[in-house]
Amino acid sequence: MQQSSVSPSYAAAELQARELRSSHDFSEAANAAQMAADIAIAEGDSSSWWHMTLFRAESLIAAGEIEACAELASTLIAEPWEGNRQLQAQVHILLALTRRGMGLLEEAADEARIAADLMDGEDDVEIAVKARQALIAALADSGRLDEAWAESLVMADIISGEVDDQLVGKAYWVIGNVAFLCSKVAEGLHYHELAAATFSPARNLTVWAKFNKASAAMRLAADVADADTLRCIERAELATDVIGGTEEDHILLKLNRGHWNFLAGDQKSAVDTLDDIFPVPEKTSPQILGEAYLLLGRSHAALGNGVEARKYLLEAADYFEKAGASQRAEQALEFLNEVP
C-alpha cells in the first residue's frame, strides 16, 4: 500500500543521499539511497522505494560500479512503475550505459532503442535526448556509423525547440563525436564549438571536465593536434584535479595525454604515460583497453620496438573484439601488418 506522505526518517535519508551526490560522493550517495529505499519499503511506500532505487542505480554508475548498477536496473525493469514512460525510459538508459561499459554493444543499442521509442511523442525532452545519446554511443562504438549519424540528425531535430543550454550542449557534443567518427572533421569541430559555447566551468565543473576530456579524445582520434586540442586536454586535467573523478576518468586523461605525445612525435613520453594506465585492467572497459593498447602498440612501432608493438596491437585487437568493436579490431590488425 502506497502512503500519501513520507516519514521524517525517510526524508532525512533521502536528503542525505541527494547531498552526498551533489558533493560527488557517489558511493556514499548510493549507500544512503539504499537506506532510504529500505525505510520506504518497510513503511509500504512503493513510490519512494522505486524512486530511491533508481537514484541509487544512477549513483552507482556515476561511481563506476557498472555491474551493481546493471543488477539494480534489472530489478527495476522487473518492477516497472506503471504509466510513467519517462521513468521506464530512464531505467532502460541506465541498462544501455551499463551494457556499453561491459562491451555488450548490441544489447546496449537494444536497450537505448527501447528508451528512445518510449519517449517518442513525450514532452520530456531531457530524457528523450539522453535516450538518443545512449543509442548513438552504442551504435558508434559498434561501428554502425551510418545509423549513428542518422540518429544524430534525429536528435538535432529534438533539440530545435527551447531547451536547457546544458542539454543542448550535451546533444551538440554527441553529434560532434559522431561526425568525427564518420570522418566529417569540419562538422565535428563545428558541433563541438557549439557545445563549448553552452558549457561553463562556473555553472557545472563536472560537465566542463568531461566535455573537454571527450572533445580532446575525438580531436586526437581525427589527428587534430592543434592548440585548441591541447587546451581541451589541459582544461580537463585541471578540472578533474579540482573535482576528483573516477578511476576511469583518470585513465582517459592519461590516454589523451599519451595520444597527444604520440602525435607530437614524442613516442617515449607516450609509452611512459600509457604504461601507467593498467594497474587494474579488469576494472577497465574492453573499449578503453583496446584504445590504450592500440596507441601503445603504435608508439612502440614508431620507436622501432617491433616485438612490443606486435604484442600490444594483438592485445588491442582482442579487446576491441571483446567490446564488439570489430572495425577498430580490424584497424589494429592493419597497423600490425605494417610492423616490420
Side-chain angles (χ1 to χ4, degrees):
M1 180 176 177
Q2 184 173 318
Q3 295 179 346
S4 58
S5 61
V6 299
S7 67
S9 58
Y10 170 83
E14 179 183 0
L15 179 62
Q16 182 184 28
R18 294 190 183 281
E19 288 178 342
L20 286 166
R21 196 159 87 179
S22 294
S23 302
H24 305 288
D25 194 345
F26 301 116
S27 293
E28 288 304 313
N31 292 336
Q34 176 66 66
M35 291 177 59
D38 289 344
I39 293 169
I41 204 68
E43 295 174 349
D45 185 351
S46 57
S47 174
S48 295
W49 171 83
W50 208 98
H51 284 83
M52 271 295 101
T53 302
L54 176 59
F55 185 93
R56 181 183 171 216
E58 292 171 338
S59 299
L60 285 169
I61 199 170
E65 299 291 337
I66 294 175
E67 292 185 4
C69 175
E71 184 177 344
L72 206 57
S74 297
T75 299
L76 290 172
I77 291 291
E79 298 279 347
W81 194 248
E82 295 181 5
N84 193 316
R85 294 163 69 88
Q86 289 94 334
L87 289 176
Q88 293 175 39
Q90 283 179 263
V91 179
H92 284 290
I93 291 168
L94 277 179
L95 274 175
L97 296 175
T98 59
R99 296 294 185 259
R100 182 182 174 217
M102 295 174 185
L104 304 172
L105 300 179
E106 291 295 328
E107 292 182 27
D110 290 343
E111 293 292 344
R113 176 72 69 185
I114 292 171
D117 289 345
L118 281 167
M119 295 310 299
D120 277 348
E122 294 293 313
D123 293 332
D124 196 324
V125 176
E126 180 175 358
I127 298 175
V129 169
K130 286 181 178 178
R132 293 286 169 186
Q133 288 174 330
L135 176 57
I136 291 164
L139 291 172
D141 281 353
S142 58
R144 295 156 66 181
L145 297 180
D146 289 342
E147 292 177 68
W149 183 244
E151 291 294 342
S152 295
L153 298 179
V154 171
M155 187 165 67
D157 288 338
I158 293 174
I159 62 171
S160 59
E162 292 186 10
V163 292
D164 178 76
D165 279 351
Q166 293 280 297
L167 182 62
V168 171
K170 290 176 183 177
Y172 284 142
W173 174 359
V174 171
I175 296 170
N177 288 351
V178 178
F180 276 120
L181 291 172
C182 292
S183 300
K184 302 176 186 290
V185 176
E187 290 93 330
L189 292 170
H190 170 67
Y191 279 110
H192 274 200
E193 286 169 5
L194 290 176
T198 69
F199 296 136
S200 163
R203 180 173 180 184
N204 192 321
L205 189 58
T206 300
V207 171
W208 174 256
K210 289 182 180 297
F211 169 71
N212 279 285
K213 177 184 66 185
S215 186
M218 299 309 299
R219 287 169 172 269
L220 291 166
D223 292 337
V224 178
D226 59 8
D228 286 338
T229 302
L230 183 57
R231 273 194 292 272
C232 284
I233 293 171
E234 292 171 343
R235 286 170 180 165
E237 290 172 340
L238 180 60
T240 304
D241 283 344
V242 173
I243 63 175
T246 65
E247 186 174 354
E248 183 173 294
D249 288 332
H250 291 285
I251 287 172
L252 291 172
L253 288 173
K254 289 178 182 176
L255 187 55
N256 280 349
R257 179 59 74 170
H259 201 163
W260 171 265
N261 289 335
F262 172 79
L263 291 177
D266 189 357
Q267 281 79 24
K268 178 63 170 61
S269 292
V271 167
D272 291 343
T273 301
L274 295 165
D275 271 338
D276 196 33
I277 280 179
F278 312 106
V280 192
E282 60 271 19
K283 288 189 177 181
T284 308
S285 77
Q287 184 78 25
I288 293 174
L289 286 171
E291 298 294 349
Y293 279 120
L294 176 61
L295 195 51
L296 197 54
R298 294 180 68 192
S299 298
H300 275 294
L303 290 169
N305 302 329
V307 174
E308 289 88 348
R310 285 189 290 274
K311 169 189 168 185
Y312 288 121
L313 290 170
L314 283 170
E315 290 270 19
D318 184 51
Y319 278 113
F320 282 134
E321 287 293 350
K322 288 177 181 176
S326 57
Q327 284 191 341
R328 295 297 282 160
E330 290 172 8
Q331 288 176 341
L333 294 176
E334 287 172 7
F335 283 118
L336 179 64
N337 291 332
E338 296 172 7
V339 178

